[in-house]
Amino acid sequence: MATYAQIQTYATYEDQEDFAELLTRYQDTLKELGCDDQGVLAWLDEITWPESEEESFGDIYPATFTLRPAQGEPITCSGIDVSLYPNIGTPTLDEEPQPWIGINLQFEDEALLTETGATYKPEIGAGIWHILRVLANNFPELGVYFTEEWQENRSWRSIVEEAGDPWAFDLAIFPRKLAAYFEAIPAGYEGTVTDEGFGFAQSNRWSPLPWK
């Protein structure tokens, strides 16, 4: 059974207009990353505003498509999914929980990992890093996280729900305003500074580090 990694992007929205704007911005970002697959671009146009609680999960595009980032090698995505989280967060007496949208680019592990499965192929690091930087620039609210299946959503939830460990990723860029959540750097992580914020990677999974 195939396993997957994903690049996870998050943003808040307030209404149907915000929701549509976020999807258009993500569509434009895919184009910026060299995606010319009309199927996935049209699919983002077709996602509709949820009309009931049952529809709040979002949608999935199950076909493969290719990104051609300006840096690094072309990379095949095995799909993309959009998830809606209408009541996530730690509410206060004055605030309602903020609705979130999560958009994940999916990748088959087999295409990314070396034969041992312990590290990522050297040739994919630069491309993944460039994709994260473009997404972090276009969606600066909470950062962008490259995760394995077991890490999915954990960094995001630790920030918006203020519980758990934010360091559940193999590679990430988060904005400077979130630095307080990442003050205690675990062993095995190395970092760098970018225009988009702070980047960190699990050093034992990348050789060389993606930004090098």
Side-chain angles (χ1 to χ4, degrees):
M1 182 177 179
T3 57
Y4 296 89
Q6 56 258 316
I7 293 177
Q8 303 192 282
T9 309
Y10 306 96
T12 54
Y13 63 94
E14 293 185 2
D15 52 30
Q16 186 170 354
E17 185 175 344
D18 278 353
F19 178 75
E21 188 276 330
L22 285 169
L23 292 175
T24 298
R25 197 189 328 159
Y26 202 91
Q27 183 188 64
D28 291 341
T29 301
L30 291 183
K31 293 177 184 176
E32 183 179 352
L33 291 169
C35 176
D36 58 6
D37 187 300
Q38 295 306 306
V40 70
L41 297 175
W43 172 77
L44 284 165
D45 274 334
E46 294 165 2
I47 297 176
T48 57
W49 177 256
E51 297 181 358
S52 69
E53 289 289 332
E54 289 73 23
E55 295 181 5
S56 64
F57 67 90
D59 205 352
I60 299 171
Y61 183 80
T64 61
F65 58 96
T66 301
L67 297 180
R68 297 175 177 84
Q71 298 177 23
E73 299 293 324
I75 186 168
T76 299
C77 297
S78 56
I80 184 174
D81 67 78
V82 173
S83 299
L84 305 182
Y85 306 93
N87 297 305
I88 295 294
T90 306
T92 68
L93 293 176
D94 301 319
E95 290 187 35
E96 292 291 325
Q98 184 72 51
W100 287 87
I101 182 172
I103 307 178
N104 296 342
L105 291 170
Q106 303 282 348
F107 307 89
E108 281 197 21
D109 275 341
E110 184 178 355
L112 304 182
L113 296 171
T114 59
E115 290 184 4
T116 67
T119 58
Y120 293 102
K121 295 176 180 177
E123 62 269 22
I124 65 102
I128 294 289
W129 180 244
H130 183 78
I131 293 168
L132 260 65
R133 289 198 63 181
V134 171
L135 283 164
N137 181 66
N138 293 346
F139 293 87
E141 194 167 359
L142 203 72
V144 184
Y145 302 84
F146 177 70
T147 64
E148 291 284 357
E149 285 183 346
W150 70 272
Q151 300 164 322
E152 184 177 354
N153 289 337
R154 290 178 61 189
S155 295
W156 165 67
R157 286 186 177 275
S158 73
I159 295 168
V160 301
E161 297 181 328
E162 298 184 359
D165 180 6
W167 292 91
F169 57 78
D170 286 350
L171 182 66
I173 299 175
F174 55 85
R176 288 168 173 79
K177 66 182 180 180
L178 296 182
Y181 290 94
F182 298 90
E183 283 183 335
I185 303 173
Y189 281 84
E190 292 193 37
T192 189
V193 178
T194 74
D195 291 342
E196 301 78 28
F198 300 105
F200 278 90
Q202 287 200 45
S203 56
N204 66 341
R205 304 223 65 193
W206 304 90
S207 181
L209 290 168
W211 51 84
K212 293 183 177 179

